[in-house]
Amino acid sequence: MTDLISIAVDAMGGDDAPDVVLEGVAQALSARPFLNVLLCGPEDVVVPFAEAHDRCTAVPCSEVIAMDEHPANAVRTKKDSSIVVGCRLVREGKAQGFFSAGSTGACLAAATLVMGRAKGVKRPALGVVLPAYDQPVFFADVGANADCKPEYLVQFAKMGAIYMEHVMGVSNPQVGLLNIGEEDTKGSSLALGSYELLRQEVPEFKGNCEGGDLLAGKFSVVVTDGFTGNVCLKTIEGTSKMIFRHIKSALTSSLTAKMGAALVKGSLAKLKEDLNPDRFGGTPLLGVKGTCIVGHGSSNAEAIKNGVIAACTQVEGKVSERIAEAFANAPGTPASQAAPEEGSAS
């Protein structure tokens, strides 16, 4: 018999929590017979749900971290919040992964402070799977580290390659560096330094990736600093929404257009689904001791379900263990570069 995979879920994460989270968890439990959910949140929310669903255990919490709270301060002061408790369950070995569609900053802070960084990892990276033309591409960092050094990007590349191979099934993932040109002489000091280190330390590194090539499928993993990555990701999301609005407007502008729309309705629906970020469920935070998936605040039930399943898939792929093994012998992080000590918010 396959062992149960235990995922801690923040019942209060997201704009429409807890209702949408509970619906998504119910769907995930139905879709994955070997999933066990530890549902973290207010007692009056999690207890009735757990009593009505097999393989779900209520973990009552007395506090909730709001979207507008200072992430690190909230994690340190609200030790009985659903986000902190969920990460603590992973640290204690009671859960193998954690999912939340709550405050991204709080999730990152809790995962780093409570779950802790894997030995040798200088900065955990928040990555997102983008639906590129030929194949998905793992893009990191998209917000965990606004300021980076070349050695951080090298680690992002190595962790991203592990994720793509063992979660997305991409053999020999090709790595690229987001830059303003293909030539190795282009870019900022960070880009130039990163290029040289990537060339030396990452065998799968294939050079610079211009912005226009990010979604072309030329690379399986593309790395950049968190500031650039976050701006780039939100630009892609905004552009996608704008294009679909224009398409909808054009296809409803006249009777002839509406007749044509009827002919391509199925193809457009498939295109929309292919580009729908909800099917990936959330963004993995790589480099911490355990699995952490952060969902979008506006996640619907389908996105919640897929986020919980994504956490299961990452656990099945032993991504955290593989990253820990890959970095076990890495040089220690100097104190001046170190992230906050793990466990201090427990």
Side-chain angles (χ1 to χ4, degrees), residues 92-264:
E92 294 173 349
K94 296 175 182 177
Q96 294 151 285
F98 171 66
F99 171 80
S100 174
S103 165
T104 299
C107 290
L108 301 184
T112 303
L113 291 167
V114 181
M115 291 167 60
R117 289 175 293 134
K119 181 181 179 182
V121 172
K122 297 184 177 182
R123 290 291 189 277
L126 190 64
V128 62
V129 178
L130 297 174
Y133 184 72
D134 289 325
Q135 62 178 357
V137 57
F138 187 82
F139 184 43
D141 182 53
V142 294
N145 306 278
D147 297 305
C148 287
K149 297 181 179 182
E151 53 263 40
Y152 301 169
L153 270 63
V154 169
Q155 292 198 340
F156 299 167
K158 293 178 179 179
M159 293 190 290
I162 290 172
Y163 182 90
M164 288 302 288
E165 181 176 357
H166 297 285
V167 174
M168 303 302 294
V170 178
S171 59
N172 190 33
Q174 308 293 289
V175 175
L177 170 68
L178 189 67
N179 207 336
I180 60 173
E182 294 183 357
E183 301 87 351
D184 58 6
T185 56
K186 291 286 185 72
S188 63
S189 57
L190 172 63
L192 292 171
S194 299
Y195 187 100
E196 184 60 25
L197 271 186
L198 286 163
R199 186 184 63 79
Q200 295 174 9
E201 300 186 22
V202 180
E204 302 86 359
F205 179 60
K206 300 303 177 184
N208 287 328
C209 171
E210 294 188 84
D213 292 328
L214 181 58
L215 298 178
K218 295 176 63 175
F219 300 93
S220 302
V221 178
V222 176
V223 296
T224 188
D225 62 276
F227 180 89
T228 303
N230 190 268
V231 172
C232 187
L233 175 63
K234 290 179 178 176
T235 301
I236 292 172
E237 292 174 342
T239 302
S240 176
K241 292 177 182 178
M242 180 271 295
I243 290 174
F244 273 102
R245 281 199 294 265
H246 278 298
I247 291 174
K248 182 177 179 180
S249 177
L251 292 177
T252 57
S253 61
S254 66
L255 179 59
T256 302
K258 291 178 182 179
M259 292 173 63
L263 297 176
V264 298

Side-chain angles (χ1 to χ4, degrees), residues 288-337:
V288 292
K289 296 177 181 178
T291 293
C292 178
I293 302 289
V294 184
H296 200 286
S298 61
S299 294
N300 56 23
E302 180 188 6
I304 298 293
K305 177 198 75 173
N306 290 336
V308 176
I309 290 176
C312 288
T313 303
Q314 188 168 323
V315 170
E316 290 170 339
K318 301 184 182 298
V319 172
S320 298
E321 293 88 341
R322 295 178 193 277
I323 289 174
E325 182 179 356
F327 287 89
N329 298 318
T333 304
S336 61
Q337 298 178 9

Side-chain angles (χ1 to χ4, degrees), residues 27 40 48 55 76 89 124 126 134 167 175 185 279 330 344 346:
Q27 293 178 14
C40 308
R55 294 178 285 111
R76 288 190 174 95
L89 290 170
L126 190 64
D134 289 325
V167 174
V175 175
T185 56
R279 69 190 181 106
S344 60
S346 59

